[in-house]
Amino acid sequence: SDRQQLRDRCPGTPRRFPHHLRRNTQAAAARHPERDEMEAQALGLTAPPVASTSGERSDSPKGFPLRTRIYRKDCGGTATDFSLTAYADATLLFVTQTGTAGTVFRAARDGAADGGSATYTTQVLLGTRDNTLLTVCVRQIVEQAGAKGHVKPMIIGLGLKQPSPQAIREVAQAVAEDNVWS
């Protein structure tokens, strides 16, 4: 067999993995499941669970350095997951109906024009560049955030199944109502 040939070529290797180096991971997890879960969340290896019903949400634990909000709402007749995280230099927002990041945008405030109203720049970082409805949605989200005093750049991922004007309005309204900057 292949193992026998390998042992014949490498005669100094042990036949089995040394018992003192083996680790029974199931037994270790069974001993301290709560501690292991808390350590994983503290290291950012797991996210708080997404609310399973419409309108519920999950916020960051007290003392956590990043403000995070995760919730689910119905937009355009489809369950839509929202994940917002406020970092020191930017805000990260994912809106998905597909479970993926979809098209990823960067949106930033350029400043005030002559008339006093702010101008915004949107840029597609990853994904389809020809979907104007997604660009309109990003612009609405950024303008509504700017109206509430949010000035940091935003990275926005939109994974919508069927982008429609109604779905775009509902997504922008949902972000405006439940966010991390107000």
Side-chain angles (χ1 to χ4, degrees), residues 19-59:
H19 72 282
H20 66 281
L21 297 178
R22 280 189 221 138
R23 184 173 174 202
N24 187 345
T25 55
Q26 290 178 343
R31 285 191 296 259
H32 305 289
E34 300 87 16
R35 185 190 70 194
D36 293 343
E37 186 177 325
M38 287 176 22
E39 287 176 358
Q41 284 182 353
L43 293 173
L45 300 176
T46 61
V50 174
S52 61
T53 59
S54 179
E56 291 185 25
R57 68 179 201 197
S58 173
D59 292 336

Side-chain angles (χ1 to χ4, degrees), residues 148-172:
K148 298 219 179 199
H150 186 270
V151 294
K152 293 189 284 187
M154 297 178 79
I155 304 296
I156 302 173
L158 295 176
L160 304 179
K161 286 182 180 177
Q162 296 292 326
S164 66
Q166 176 190 359
I168 297 301
R169 276 192 300 275
E170 291 177 8
V171 165

Side-chain angles (χ1 to χ4, degrees), residues 112-181:
D114 294 336
S117 62
T119 58
Y120 300 93
T121 301
T122 60
Q123 175 186 10
V124 176
L125 300 178
L126 300 167
T128 59
R129 299 179 186 280
D130 58 349
N131 195 330
T132 56
L133 280 176
L134 295 179
T135 306
V136 167
C137 183
V138 168
R139 187 166 297 279
Q140 285 183 356
I141 291 170
V142 172
E143 287 175 358
Q144 290 175 359
K148 298 219 179 199
H150 186 270
V151 294
K152 293 189 284 187
M154 297 178 79
I155 304 296
I156 302 173
L158 295 176
L160 304 179
K161 286 182 180 177
Q162 296 292 326
S164 66
Q166 176 190 359
I168 297 301
R169 276 192 300 275
E170 291 177 8
V171 165
Q173 181 181 1
V175 172
E177 290 173 359
D178 201 358
N179 54 59
V180 293
W181 53 81

Side-chain angles (χ1 to χ4, degrees), residues 89 108-109 154:
D89 59 346
R109 180 181 175 148
M154 297 178 79

